Amino acid sequence: MSPRLVRFVPFVLAALAGLLQALSLAWPGNGQPQWWLQLLTLAGFVALLQRAGGWRRGAALGWTFATAWLGATFWWLFISMHVYGGLASPLAAAAVLLLAAFLALYYALAAGLWRAAAGRPWRDGVLFALLWLGAELLRNTLFTGFPWGAGGYAHVDGPLAPLAPWIGVYGIGAVAAWLAWLLAALAGRRAQGRGRYWIALAATAGLLAACNVHTAKAPAAASAGPRLQVALLQGNIPQDEKFEGGTGVPVALEWYGQRLRDTGTQLVVAPETAIPLLPAQLPEGYLEGLRDAFAQGPRAALVGIPLGSFDEGYTNSVIGFRPGAGGAVYRYHKHHLVPFGEFIPPLFKWFTRMMNIPLGDFNRGDVGQPSFEWAGQRLAPNICYEDLFGEELGARFADPATAPTIFVNVSNIAWFGDSVAIDQHLQISRMRALEFGRPMIRATNTGATVIIDRFGRVTHALPRHTRGVLLGEVEGGTAFTPYSRWVSRVGLAPLWGLALAAALVAGWAGRRRPQP
């Protein structure tokens, strides 16, 4: 092989590691995360980075790894843009690739900084973990954030899961990065130099074991709220018919309306835009009839619907009906909107005009909106990918007297077909349950419609891509996790502080160290 081709081998290996990193988040076929694969693939990337030479090559390797990882993670955006948005397939594929390549720049920065500063083993490990944390935080925050597929989600079932109630998904990602560096260091050292790394690995394993023991005792010690009987509706309305007046809309209005009126549980939940029309577009008396159905008796409902008007603007919302409210209707308005799907970034109207996406420019709701109080529970709605942003859900925990006891996610993942997006979103919801010690009930159009207990376990589930009603009981949570306490007060600031300190140390060390 020629020397020129040899130079490209690390980039091919980095891309392969990135593809496998994506598979670790939800394995095709069973949808389960593979925590061990996340560690091994990241360790393989670290091994490549250690041999990269200068910071430029390190940054290029980081960009290659992350572009492959992110593109293979959210490839299903192609389905929403091409199949349902009507965008030509080359343009849709290019849009997904460009998004992945842009977000990969954060990881290129982290890798370049680390490569510039590398040279002292123990400092190297801490710096890599914290710089990788910084890249994840940048992806979570800049330009409204798109943190889908963060590495920590691969560990929702693994030995790092007990860390979630303490440091959250990004903290888990940093610990995973530390372990990946440690594995790479062990693999790259001669036998006589491995002792201290084995000691570090044993110490880390001991800490995790202690967290596991604490978590194992938690079910008996944690306080829980009363049980709530729920019915979660899954209409399975095809996305290409969902907003069509002659097909999906009549089916949705009839099926959801009938189930909302007839289901006898304490709470009935219908998914995001279950009612796919603005109030003024609905048949006369439709919403009033639903409100009257819950005006008396022991039942309440949460229903996804757009609110507002074309003239004054509209929101992606959840409305709540319950008895004893004097005719008042609870409202929750989605705060964290999806770029291009729910709001149009400046200078990009030309792009969204090329796609057929109804109701594509919503207004925002506020962070920390009040919960829906019913049957001794405080139910906190979140819509679609809002449950990616734990720090925003955490804002509701600032006042213990009003903190949620149950999270309610309503989603419509039909935009992404029968893809791994359903599985990935389920792992995200499970991680939020672990972080906050709160159950998450999910009512979706096509899946995953499930009940998740406050320990992140799926206790009830409907088969995806079927029409049906999921019946079950959910036990509200009242105890506060360490994560819920600190994130409700300061957000992600402690993690940002660690990442920024690492970047400053890396920059200082890089300036002092001669670069090839």
Side-chain angles (χ1 to χ4, degrees):
M1 185 180 296
S2 70
R4 181 172 296 180
L5 289 178
V6 169
R7 288 178 56 84
F8 286 102
V9 170
F11 293 94
V12 174
L13 294 176
L16 178 60
L19 294 174
L20 292 173
Q21 178 91 172
L23 293 179
S24 74
L25 299 168
W27 190 261
N30 62 24
Q32 296 302 307
Q34 309 293 324
W35 63 269
W36 56 270
L37 184 59
Q38 195 273 336
L39 288 179
L40 288 181
T41 53
L42 190 55
F45 167 69
V46 173
L48 293 171
L49 197 58
Q50 287 173 333
R51 296 165 174 79
W55 69 267
R56 292 181 180 85
R57 191 168 174 85
L61 279 172
W63 182 83
T64 302
F65 172 83
T67 298
W69 159 32
L70 299 177
T73 295
F74 47 69
W75 62 268
W76 33 260
L77 290 173
F78 172 88
I79 299 173
S80 64
M81 289 188 285
H82 173 59
V83 177
Y84 300 120
L87 192 64
S89 56
L91 289 175
V96 175
L97 182 59
L98 286 172
L99 176 61
F102 174 76
L103 297 176
L105 293 173
Y106 307 141
Y107 301 92
L109 175 62
L113 280 172
W114 185 79
R115 186 58 264 175
R120 295 184 179 179
W122 294 111
R123 188 184 68 185
D124 288 356
V126 174
L127 280 182
F128 180 76
L130 296 182
L131 290 171
W132 206 249
L133 167 65
E136 295 274 52
L137 292 174
L138 286 171
R139 183 157 72 96
N140 172 76
T141 305
L142 293 187
F143 307 108
T144 80
F146 190 66
W148 195 289
Y153 289 113
H155 298 273
V156 70
D157 285 320
L160 300 188
L163 297 176
W166 297 86
I167 57 177
V169 68
Y170 298 116
I172 288 176
V175 173
W178 153 259
L179 288 171
W181 172 84
L182 197 54
L183 291 174
L186 277 168
R189 293 278 167 176
R190 295 180 179 179
Q192 62 269 29
R194 291 178 180 171
R196 54 183 177 175
Y197 295 100
W198 282 114
I199 292 172
L201 186 60
T204 305
L207 176 62
L208 294 175
C211 288
N212 271 287
V213 170
H214 182 275
T215 301
K217 294 179 179 178
S223 59
R227 290 184 175 272
L228 182 70
Q229 296 176 338
V230 300
L232 309 178
L233 309 185
Q234 181 174 286
N236 196 36
I237 311 295
Q239 189 60 41
D240 55 354
E241 300 177 7
K242 183 173 174 63
F243 296 96
E244 294 295 327
T247 52
V249 170
V251 171
L253 295 182
E254 191 280 329
W255 191 82
Y256 283 117
Q258 194 68 40
R259 298 309 174 280
L260 286 164
R261 286 188 292 269
D262 294 348
T263 304
T265 55
Q266 290 175 289
L267 179 70
V268 189
V269 185
E272 178 185 16
T273 58
I275 299 174
L277 299 176
L278 292 165
Q281 298 173 303
L282 289 168
E284 185 176 356
Y286 184 87
L287 276 184
E288 290 78 4
L290 289 180
R291 182 192 62 199
D292 293 344
F294 294 92
Q296 297 180 348
R299 302 187 314 130
L302 290 169
V303 184
I305 181 176
L307 294 178
S309 67
F310 289 110
D311 293 332
E312 298 180 1
Y314 42 83
T315 57
N316 191 354
S317 302
V318 171
I319 56 175
F321 304 112
R322 62 189 169 191
V329 175
Y330 169 84
R331 289 176 173 83
Y332 170 81
H333 307 302
K334 186 176 182 182
H335 167 74
H336 213 116
L337 304 177
V338 181
F340 303 104
E342 292 178 324
F343 81 96
I344 304 171
L347 307 179
F348 279 94
K349 287 187 180 292
W350 63 271
F351 182 76
T352 55
R353 289 194 197 102
M354 301 172 69
M355 292 187 288
N356 180 30
I357 297 180
L359 299 174
D361 201 6
F362 289 91
N363 295 328
R364 297 179 187 274
D366 297 327
V367 175
Q369 297 171 58
S371 297
F372 179 71
E373 297 192 24
W374 173 243
Q377 305 285 355
R378 292 186 291 271
L379 300 136
N382 54 87
I383 299 176
C384 195
Y385 94 144
E386 280 192 308
D387 62 350
L388 265 80
F389 302 92
E391 68 280 8
E392 294 180 359
L393 300 188
R396 304 180 184 189
F397 288 77
D399 182 358
T402 60
T405 59
I406 298 173
F407 287 131
V408 182
N409 179 266
V410 297
S411 294
N412 176 31
I413 307 296
W415 283 107
F416 312 118
D418 188 9
S419 71
V420 74
I422 294 174
D423 305 295
Q424 293 170 349
H425 198 192
L426 175 59
Q427 315 312 343
I428 289 165
S429 292
R430 293 179 61 206
M431 182 62 76
R432 295 292 87 77
L434 278 171
E435 289 173 343
F436 290 98
R438 295 293 184 270
M440 177 87 76
I441 56 177
R442 305 183 77 242
T444 71
N445 182 22
T446 56
T449 296
V450 300
I451 297 173
I452 303 168
D453 70 14
R454 66 186 190 277
F455 306 110
R457 303 173 300 205
V458 176
T459 61
H460 304 73
L462 271 182
R464 63 193 58 189
H465 295 285
T466 60
R467 184 170 296 167
V469 180
L470 179 64
L471 301 175
E473 281 191 343
V474 59
E475 185 178 61
T478 57
F480 278 67
T481 65
Y483 178 82
S484 66
R485 292 186 185 279
W486 65 259
V487 84
S488 66
R489 292 173 170 84
V490 296
L492 298 177
L495 301 181
W496 273 110
L498 291 171
L500 180 59
L504 293 174
V505 169
W508 173 81
R511 291 186 63 184
R512 291 173 58 89
R513 182 169 179 262
Q515 298 295 317

